[in-house]
Amino acid sequence: MPNEILTQLAAMRSYFNSGVTKPYAFRKQQLIALKDAVIAHEEDIYAALYTDLKKSKEECWVTENGFFLAELNDTLGHLKEWMEPESVSTNLLNLPSSSRVLREPLGVVLAIGPWNYPFQLLFTPLLGAIAAGNCVVLKPSEFAPATAAVMQKIIESTFSKEYILYVPGDGAKVIPEMMDHFTFDHVFYTGSTAVGKIIYKMAAERLVPVTLELGGKSPCVVESDANIHIAAKRIVMTKFSNAGQMCVAPDYVLVHASKKEALVKALKEKIKQFFGDKPEQSENYGKLINERQFNRVTSYLMQGNKLHGGRYNADTLFIEPTLLDNVHIDAPVMKEEIFGPVLPILSFTTPEEALAIIAHNPNPLAFYVFTSSSEKEKQWLDAVPSGGACVNNASWHLTNPSLPFGGRGFSGTGAYHGRYSFDTFSHKKAVMKTPTWFDPALKYPPLKGKLGIFKWIIR
Ligand code: NAD
């Protein structure tokens, strides 16, 4: 296996070096081919995501294939403009030179995906890498096998193996096999922080640049002046989407003590309204991916008083949308990323109290604040460093391709989406062009006596 894959990687390197992936016409053609293949496999994608995660077609469209197609269309609309050399100004020292920044493809890049949005989180980096003119190795998660099989069919029926190579299998085995023996030009990884560290170390051995899109424990603050009805609706919508298995789901709520009772009441109402009395039978409600995740998330149910929910079924990997009260700050549910449909509700009376809780898990992937005061909004955004943020909303920032999406610190490094994906997969090459008709002697030795003029020019 390693030899076979290394031969394929060497073939990709030669293919990239031939220059065929660089022209605009080629990139555009490949993006259109990818779009057509994804559209042609629409029903297969829905069926696979239902099998893996019990997602409805509507949820798939918003968060998986429709999300991806919207980003692809946006990229197609801007690609020519993004590929243009960027003219920049030239400082006095270098006049009359001119300066520009060229975006060059990186080469052969590796994209590694997780299982929670198995299609979108592998194909969105792919489209950015294609747009930037690279060859791409795709490693899907082995834990969403139905979706992985459809993606393999799409890739292998659309692209040659020396251009886009699909490598399924156990990540702990196939990724080191590749990264230990081949120098990728970039590794784009989405997944847990624990595995992110392993990837970072492997990449460091060969000085391979990385983008790490990692986990998060994203706090959601509900201020005393928040619109409680809207806050409850939006929190429930995103927290329990995909049964809570979303990297930017609100992980826990910090509500101002004066509004706790009202918020809990509204959250319960919204859960019932969206998922009914029996969420297990709701078309709008998903399941946990596998037994391992099911066991991990059910263990949190005992770490607080249940304000709502708490039922589960191991046979169907179902866990009810659950609200927890009285959780201890040192309990695992407050130390680990929950990544499931369990929402601890904590209260605060001063911002300092809430900030002290947030500080236990610094630099979250996202931060949410519900408030009607722009002053409070500013104070909260200033006080909580995070990858991204929403005001009076949760998670939707990631659906705008004009915004960079990524974490900081333990929630990741680098960003993507739209133009940011194109930049992530491009090298910014600085070019200065200097005419030959002007070549002042001042620049050349002997330098003695020129300090005054140097100080005037370089300041
Ligand atoms: P994971 O880290 O278990 O797996 C991700 C990928 O890494 C898979 O393709 C897997 O095969 C591979 N892998 C696993 N072990 C490996 C090893 N030892 N060496 C090399 N590769 C290995 O993550 P997951 O459980 O699939 O995803 C859930 C996590 O991902 C959560 O923490 C979630 O927050 C995070 N996530 C982040 C984002 C984001 O955009 N920031 C999006 C989705 C999920």
Side-chain angles (χ1 to χ4, degrees):
M1 161 76 173
N3 281 343
E4 188 192 322
I5 210 154
L6 292 176
T7 308
Q8 283 172 330
L9 293 172
M12 295 183 88
R13 172 76 67 216
S14 305
Y15 188 73
F16 176 76
N17 287 345
S18 75
V20 284
T21 65
K22 291 185 182 175
Y24 168 70
F26 178 89
R27 304 184 197 191
K28 184 177 162 194
Q29 194 185 8
Q30 306 313 315
L31 288 173
I32 292 172
L34 180 59
K35 174 178 169 174
D36 291 346
V38 167
I39 292 171
H41 287 84
E42 183 173 343
E43 290 302 322
D44 297 339
I45 294 168
Y46 293 144
L49 287 164
Y50 192 85
T51 303
D52 287 332
L53 286 148
K54 195 176 162 259
K55 291 191 199 196
S56 67
K57 290 186 181 185
E58 291 76 9
E59 184 172 343
C60 288
W61 186 262
V62 176
T63 62
E64 299 262 17
N65 54 331
F67 176 105
F68 161 81
L69 288 168
E71 177 131 349
L72 190 149
N73 288 332
D74 180 69
T75 299
L76 274 174
H78 291 99
L79 184 56
K80 209 174 178 110
E81 163 201 330
W82 294 345
M83 286 176 67
E84 291 292 325
E86 182 191 349
S87 291
V88 296
S89 63
T90 301
N91 53 352
L92 179 62
L93 173 68
N94 288 296
L95 289 178
S97 301
S98 62
S99 306
R100 61 193 190 275
V101 182
L102 304 182
R103 260 92 182 160
E104 350 185 267
L106 298 174
V108 181
V109 303
L110 169 64
I112 305 167
W115 50 259
N116 62 331
Y117 291 87
F119 178 86
Q120 189 246 112
L121 292 172
L122 194 63
F123 272 38
T124 307
L126 168 67
L127 90 86
I130 290 178
N134 300 281
C135 291
V136 191
V137 177
L138 290 174
K139 162 65 184 75
S141 169
E142 59 273 40
F143 297 116
T147 313
V150 175
M151 293 193 294
Q152 181 159 15
K153 205 163 91 182
I154 292 173
I155 294 301
E156 293 184 348
S157 62
T158 310
F159 302 113
S160 68
K161 279 193 158 69
E162 66 263 39
Y163 177 44
I164 313 288
L165 182 68
Y166 195 84
V167 183
D170 175 2
K173 187 169 174 288
V174 300
I175 292 171
E177 274 171 6
M178 294 190 284
M179 289 185 70
D180 288 348
H181 301 102
F182 180 82
T183 306
F184 285 99
D185 296 292
H186 194 91
V187 173
F188 188 104
Y189 168 82
T190 305
S192 63
T193 298
V195 174
K197 289 180 188 173
I198 298 173
I199 302 288
Y200 209 176
K201 280 185 194 151
M202 280 190 282
E205 280 299 318
R206 289 170 180 255
L207 289 181
V208 173
V210 293
T211 303
L212 300 174
E213 297 283 342
L214 307 179
K217 196 161 180 66
S218 304
C220 180
V221 167
V222 180
E223 263 288 5
S224 54
D225 59 358
N227 178 327
I228 295 298
H229 172 71
I230 289 286
K233 226 171 31 169
R234 295 182 184 170
I235 292 169
V236 169
M237 158 72 193
T238 49
K239 173 68 189 185
F240 300 112
S241 173
N242 203 24
Q245 301 161 108
M246 187 197 282
C247 58
V248 285
D251 191 271
Y252 58 98
V253 167
L254 283 161
V255 56
H256 192 272
S258 64
K259 287 293 157 69
K260 183 174 174 188
E261 208 182 312
L263 181 72
V264 169
K265 184 167 174 278
L267 289 169
K268 288 182 188 176
E269 280 168 13
K270 293 301 155 201
I271 291 172
K272 282 201 169 192
Q273 186 186 332
F274 295 165
F275 310 115
D277 287 328
K278 293 184 177 158
E280 188 171 6
Q281 284 155 26
S282 168
E283 286 177 356
N284 301 316
Y285 192 66
K287 69 173 189 73
L288 278 283
I289 185 82
N290 55 29
E291 208 180 301
R292 186 166 157 233
Q293 294 299 325
F294 175 85
N295 291 338
R296 188 183 60 78
V297 179
T298 46
S299 75
Y300 297 142
L301 297 173
M302 306 309 293
Q303 294 170 18
N305 299 343
K306 287 174 212 84
L307 290 166
H308 183 86
R311 289 177 292 183
Y312 54 85
N313 181 348
D315 294 336
T316 54
L317 300 176
F318 159 79
I319 301 178
E320 191 174 13
T322 300
L323 306 177
L324 283 188
D325 197 8
N326 292 329
V327 291
H328 197 276
I329 193 71
D330 291 324
V333 72
M334 283 308 294
K335 287 184 136 173
E336 299 161 5
E337 180 187 15
I338 296 173
F339 219 56
V342 176
L343 185 62
I345 314 283
L346 292 86
S347 60
F348 68 92
T349 43
T350 64
E352 289 69 29
E353 264 179 64
L355 290 170
I357 293 171
I358 294 171
H360 281 84
N361 296 282
N363 295 318
L365 184 56
F367 170 68
Y368 308 122
V369 57
F370 287 82
T371 175
S372 53
S373 141
S374 36
E375 201 179 316
K376 282 188 180 167
E377 164 190 330
K378 187 175 178 319
Q379 283 166 359
W380 281 107
L381 291 177
D382 279 352
V384 183
S386 64
C390 290
V391 179
N392 294 325
N393 206 342
S395 314
W396 286 84
H397 60 304
L398 81 87
T399 62
N400 179 0
S402 303
L403 287 172
F405 179 70
R408 54 182 296 175
F410 281 97
S411 62
T413 181
Y416 73 130
H417 287 174
R419 171 76 202 240
Y420 300 96
S421 290
F422 180 80
D423 277 347
T424 285
F425 289 108
S426 301
H427 171 69
K428 291 172 205 72
K429 183 157 146 180
V431 179
M432 182 178 283
K433 181 174 175 182
T434 308
T436 52
W437 55 262
F438 181 67
D439 200 28
L442 178 70
K443 288 161 72 172
Y444 300 97
L447 301 177
K448 198 162 174 55
K450 295 178 180 171
L451 185 59
I453 184 118
F454 285 175
K455 280 190 170 176
W456 183 78
I457 295 171
I458 305 170
R459 60 200 150 103

